[in-house]
Amino acid sequence: MFLSKLIVSFAAALTTSAPAWADEPPPQTIPASSWTTAFSWTDPEITESSGMYASAVHAGVVWTVNDGEGPVRLFAAGPDGRTRAVVTLAGVTGVDTEALGGAVDEDGVSWIYVGDIGGTPKPRPDGILVHRFAEPGSLVTQTVPSTTYRLVYPDGQHDAETLLVEPSTRHLYVVTKSDQGGDLYSAPLTLSEDRPNPLTHVMKIPHVVDDGFISAKGAVFLRGYNKIRVWDKLGGKVSWIIDVPQQPQGEGLALSADGSALLISSEHPSTPVYRLGLPEQLRAEPPWASRMTARWMWIAGGGGGLALVLIVGVLLVALRRRGKGPAR
């Protein structure tokens, strides 16, 4: 009798005292059918698009880079997929270039980060490399200088294809890749050009990840071959799952410059780049949007932006005075 009562009491406790996580709603989902074709790469030199970044300077332009070793070249493609310019990093030879990211600083300079972070085909006991350069103001084929940072794992070598750039602080993160999932590592907030920068392990990622980014809201988008998972924050929980169209070796993911849509690419040449308009909850205007307005007013004035502002100010004062008219 006593045992029966104990079992009943225990069963009641299970039904009335569910753990906190049991109340969490499941991730919201977006089907693969929601994607549309944006364009296809038309340049035969884009053979293995393995990273994308939507330009913060040139409207509708998307940067991409080929997977692999050799000279590091970035292709700037317009909305029609046609290459507008090719930018080569001066004196840089990639070991296994895999990823792109970017952010705009407090002065309005758009920085692009190139992740030479892959683990093939050569061992990398000395760490991985991230190159940073200022996005050119003119879309012309050119060679540009860059700054290189060496990052070193605390626990040996890894393969990686994902470089995350926090939009406000430009803090860098790397997500490793393996068949068992991956791990998220954090670089120092202040990076040194002169010595290796130690990476710090943050958390395990129980999924295969081949690209990603951090939005202005702090959400973390991580792409696999079949799905994009959206964490509400670093170290948080998965709040959205976005199915992606079938792509052969799909390894590119970017956020549109205005934060309203996703773009995904494949490593196979001449394949479509797909676009997905994001629901309102996932949209995030980049923090540089308002800062860039003032910057482009100056540039549009050809160095005479201050004079333009002064002229506008004088006209406004004159109009206000005129509008007052005589006292009545």
Side-chain angles (χ1 to χ4, degrees):
M1 184 71 173
F2 173 76
L3 181 59
S4 299
K5 288 183 178 180
L6 183 62
I7 293 173
V8 170
S9 299
F10 182 66
L14 284 178
T15 57
T16 58
S17 303
W21 54 261
D23 296 329
E24 292 182 359
Q28 300 189 66
T29 60
I30 299 176
S33 58
S34 301
W35 295 81
T36 59
T37 299
F39 60 84
S40 294
W41 310 115
T42 63
D43 192 333
E45 294 294 314
I46 301 176
T47 56
E48 293 185 75
S49 172
S50 185
M52 290 196 299
Y53 176 66
S55 171
V57 174
H58 306 286
V61 167
V62 176
W63 294 92
T64 190
V65 66
N66 283 326
D67 184 353
E69 57 184 329
V72 177
R73 299 188 301 158
L74 284 82
F75 301 82
D80 57 357
R82 183 175 59 85
T83 297
R84 306 296 174 81
V86 179
V87 170
T88 303
L89 302 191
V92 174
T93 300
V95 176
D96 189 7
T97 304
E98 291 283 2
L100 292 181
V104 177
D105 69 16
E106 295 79 4
D107 297 321
V109 178
S110 173
W111 296 100
I112 295 179
Y113 295 77
V114 184
D116 183 358
I117 58 177
T120 55
K122 301 176 182 177
R124 311 191 68 166
D126 296 330
I128 56 179
L129 303 174
V130 175
H131 312 290
R132 187 188 79 158
F133 70 98
E135 184 174 2
S138 300
L139 282 179
V140 295
T141 294
Q142 57 189 296
T143 298
V144 300
S146 63
T147 302
T148 297
Y149 304 104
R150 185 176 297 276
L151 310 179
V152 179
Y153 292 107
D155 51 1
Q157 297 177 219
H158 296 281
D159 185 22
E161 297 184 357
T162 303
L163 178 68
L164 308 177
V165 184
E166 202 287 324
S168 297
T169 62
R170 299 176 300 286
H171 192 168
L172 300 185
Y173 298 86
V174 176
V175 182
T176 60
K177 177 186 176 184
S178 74
D179 293 338
Q180 291 74 43
D183 290 87
L184 174 69
Y185 291 84
S186 169
L189 183 56
T190 301
L191 296 172
S192 171
E193 308 170 40
D194 305 318
R195 61 182 183 275
N197 297 274
L199 290 165
T200 301
H201 186 265
V202 177
M203 62 181 290
K204 293 195 71 65
I205 306 291
H207 313 287
V208 175
V209 177
D210 56 37
D211 206 356
F213 64 84
I214 302 175
S215 81
K217 285 183 177 178
V220 183
F221 290 67
L222 297 180
R223 176 183 182 171
Y225 290 114
N226 300 311
K227 300 178 185 298
I228 297 169
R229 293 176 174 85
V230 185
W231 273 257
D232 56 354
K233 61 182 178 180
L234 279 170
K237 61 184 179 64
V238 175
S239 55
W240 289 78
I241 293 179
I242 304 171
D243 292 325
V244 300
Q246 290 297 315
Q247 288 184 304
Q249 203 70 19
E251 295 189 359
L253 172 66
L255 181 67
S256 64
D258 65 358
S260 68
L262 298 181
L263 297 169
I264 56 173
S265 68
S266 162
E267 284 198 355
H268 282 223
S270 304
T271 52
V273 171
Y274 292 104
R275 182 186 185 278
L276 172 72
L278 289 171
E280 193 62 37
Q281 303 96 306
L282 290 178
R283 296 188 178 193
E285 183 180 78
W288 47 262
S290 58
R291 295 198 299 267
M292 290 295 282
T293 301
R295 175 173 171 80
W296 287 113
M297 280 184 66
W298 176 270
I299 294 174
L306 181 59
L308 176 62
V309 172
L310 290 173
I311 290 170
V312 172
V314 170
L315 288 174
L316 287 174
V317 170
L319 286 172
R320 286 175 181 170
R321 288 179 176 173
R322 182 179 177 181
K324 287 181 179 179
R328 295 178 185 270

